[in-house]
Amino acid sequence: MKTAAAYLASLRERDLVLYVDGERVAEPVDHPKVRPSVNAVAATYAMAHDPATRALAVAHSDLIDAPVNRFCHLFRDEADLTAKLHFQRALGALTGTCFQRCVGLDGLNALFLATWESGPDAHGRFVAWLKGVQTRDEMLCGAMTDPKGDRSKRPPEVPESYLRVVERRPDGVVLRGAKVHQTGAANAHQILVMPGQALREGEEDFAVAAALPVDAPGVTMVLGRQPSDERKGGPDAGNLRYGGQECVVLFEDVFVPSERVFLDGDLDAAATLVDAFAGYHRASYGGCKPGNLDVLIGAADLLTREHGIRKASHVRDKLVEMTHLTETIHGLGLAASGKGTRHDAGVWKVDPILANVCKHHVTKLPYEVVRLAEDLAGGMVATMPSIADLDHPELGPALETVVGGRDRAQLLRLVEYMSYGSGAVPFRIECMHGAGSP
């Protein structure tokens, strides 16, 4: 399994085409708007080598008969489903943001059972590819969401708004189109493209699932902007080390060899894939989002101590309510996993109803936790001067009596970051739209 250092080194070996603010980036790993998200992914590798977290981060693969990072692992039993949530919560609490590997994990499990239903040839190609992913300990960008355009029209009416097969050759297929909202795409080794919705007869060109390197010829990535992203890496970032990332991924006649094409035109298997992925990923939010909320609750709690109001009954009630809402989400994720069932392919599926209930609550409850955090933080969360002003030799002493000490300032920045700064994208907006909009 890769160490965090080995992961960083592997990213530098790519020839990725990534644009940030209208300019191509020579080395994405070193770009200030990219590096915090790289650090968050690196944490998933580091935890696999930390004795304190190894049991959460590592599982044994029966495909290669070796230990693998849990983000490359198949859900072979109910325990794997629940272990995923515990690992996600620990990572969410460590990073305070999205660590970007969940879509790939849930996608590979959904595709395992979808290719099994498609037939032995498709399944054999997929398993052979997955063995390589596990052996190399690769990060996958699970690419599912199409731009869609006019939602009242079917894909064949607006083909430019969907990733599709535009040419079939004896040795592979050619893809054209785009995928949007791609979490951690610029930090991945491979892109696992999948259809983003159930498809009908006559829409076979859109029913494609395949894997390709992130630097395959014809692939271009464009980094998405986030509020206050100019602060990343600086003292006012709020989260000084970690961050999330979303990209638009453009496919300009990208050739994919046959051995990496897992589904092509199989509408029934594509429907199975979409349905299974939705369940897995909606249950996943019962892991990562409670971890992020742990960070926000902790910051709010510390601010009440800084303000001298921690013992007030109404303050304690608000902190209890924040905890109650967080544990409701986590409990639903665990319930969806604990009531899972075994698919004939040999992987376990989550309970679809409870997974959807989990996601339904994720679109609401974190927003209330954020509201309560903003309440407890006070107005200074939105009006505080910069840390540079607080560190100024002349302004600093005067501002300290107004703003408080450095600890309070950094806590306020953290709440700001998660509530409506750059951290709100992988946290709040992802709660609403990730794994499918409500």
Side-chain angles (χ1 to χ4, degrees), residues 216-276:
V219 173
T220 300
M221 298 189 184
V222 185
L223 186 71
R225 291 299 304 267
Q226 298 172 337
S228 305
D229 58 8
E230 297 289 348
R231 297 184 185 182
K232 287 189 174 185
D236 286 302
N239 190 333
L240 298 179
R241 181 169 178 79
Y242 302 110
Q245 178 199 103
E246 299 76 29
C247 293
V248 172
V249 183
L250 304 173
F251 299 81
E252 302 175 49
D253 294 345
V254 179
F255 176 74
V256 183
S258 298
E259 62 267 21
R260 289 186 171 224
V261 179
F262 311 126
L263 297 178
D264 179 16
D266 188 332
L267 299 180
D268 290 338
T272 294
L273 167 60
V274 173
D275 179 69

Side-chain angles (χ1 to χ4, degrees), residues 50-312:
D50 184 342
T53 54
R54 181 180 172 86
L56 281 177
V58 177
H60 187 85
S61 168
D62 57 358
L63 295 183
I64 62 172
D65 192 22
V68 296
N69 192 294
R70 192 168 293 281
F71 282 113
C72 298
H73 186 51
L74 294 171
F75 306 135
R76 288 303 197 185
D77 53 31
E78 178 186 310
D80 281 331
L81 290 172
T82 55
K84 175 187 75 166
L85 293 185
H86 294 309
F87 186 27
Q88 289 169 324
R89 184 163 187 172
L91 278 162
L94 172 67
T95 64
T97 189
C98 175
F99 34 90
Q100 305 148 62
R101 295 188 73 181
C102 303
V103 182
L105 169 64
D106 294 334
L108 69 85
N109 275 274
L111 200 47
F112 185 88
L113 60 88
T115 56
W116 184 89
E117 292 188 359
S118 184
D121 289 344
H123 194 58
R125 289 193 302 273
F126 178 76
V127 170
W129 169 81
L130 179 55
K131 288 179 179 180
V133 169
Q134 292 185 339
T135 300
R136 295 184 297 271
D137 197 5
E138 292 181 323
M139 174 180 167
L140 305 177
C141 164
M144 181 166 276
T145 307
D146 296 288
K148 299 184 184 70
D150 186 342
R151 270 68 167 173
S152 69
K153 297 180 178 180
R154 296 296 301 177
E157 299 177 273
V158 282
E160 68 281 358
S161 295
Y162 291 83
L163 184 72
R164 61 209 183 275
V165 176
V166 295
E167 182 183 354
R168 290 178 175 86
R169 303 175 183 173
D171 57 345
V173 300
V174 177
L175 303 180
R176 185 184 301 164
K179 292 290 186 178
V180 296
H181 319 313
Q182 292 310 294
T183 302
N187 303 333
H189 299 103
Q190 294 197 55
I191 305 171
L192 182 62
V193 299
M194 299 171 282
Q197 64 185 60
L199 297 162
R200 303 171 182 171
E201 186 177 350
E203 298 175 345
E204 287 81 2
D205 288 346
F206 305 91
V208 58
L212 59 150
V214 293
D215 56 358
V219 173
T220 300
M221 298 189 184
V222 185
L223 186 71
R225 291 299 304 267
Q226 298 172 337
S228 305
D229 58 8
E230 297 289 348
R231 297 184 185 182
K232 287 189 174 185
D236 286 302
N239 190 333
L240 298 179
R241 181 169 178 79
Y242 302 110
Q245 178 199 103
E246 299 76 29
C247 293
V248 172
V249 183
L250 304 173
F251 299 81
E252 302 175 49
D253 294 345
V254 179
F255 176 74
V256 183
S258 298
E259 62 267 21
R260 289 186 171 224
V261 179
F262 311 126
L263 297 178
D264 179 16
D266 188 332
L267 299 180
D268 290 338
T272 294
L273 167 60
V274 173
D275 179 69
F277 175 83
Y280 286 139
H281 207 50
R282 290 169 184 174
S284 281
Y285 277 29
C288 60
K289 299 315 171 195
N292 292 164
L293 289 167
D294 289 339
V295 175
L296 188 60
I297 295 169
D301 181 32
L302 289 171
L303 279 169
T304 65
R305 298 170 192 269
E306 289 282 333
H307 296 162
I309 58 172
R310 179 63 174 78
K311 294 182 179 179

Side-chain angles (χ1 to χ4, degrees), residues 282-283 332-337 339 351-359:
R282 290 169 184 174
L332 284 166
L334 289 174
S337 301
K339 292 189 70 175
D351 181 282
I353 294 178
L354 287 170
N356 279 289
V357 172
C358 179
K359 166 61 185 179

Side-chain angles (χ1 to χ4, degrees), residues 340-364:
T341 54
R342 187 182 185 278
H343 187 273
D344 288 342
V347 295
W348 279 63
K349 296 178 64 176
V350 298
D351 181 282
I353 294 178
L354 287 170
N356 279 289
V357 172
C358 179
K359 166 61 185 179
H360 177 71
H361 279 61
V362 167
T363 67
K364 297 180 179 181

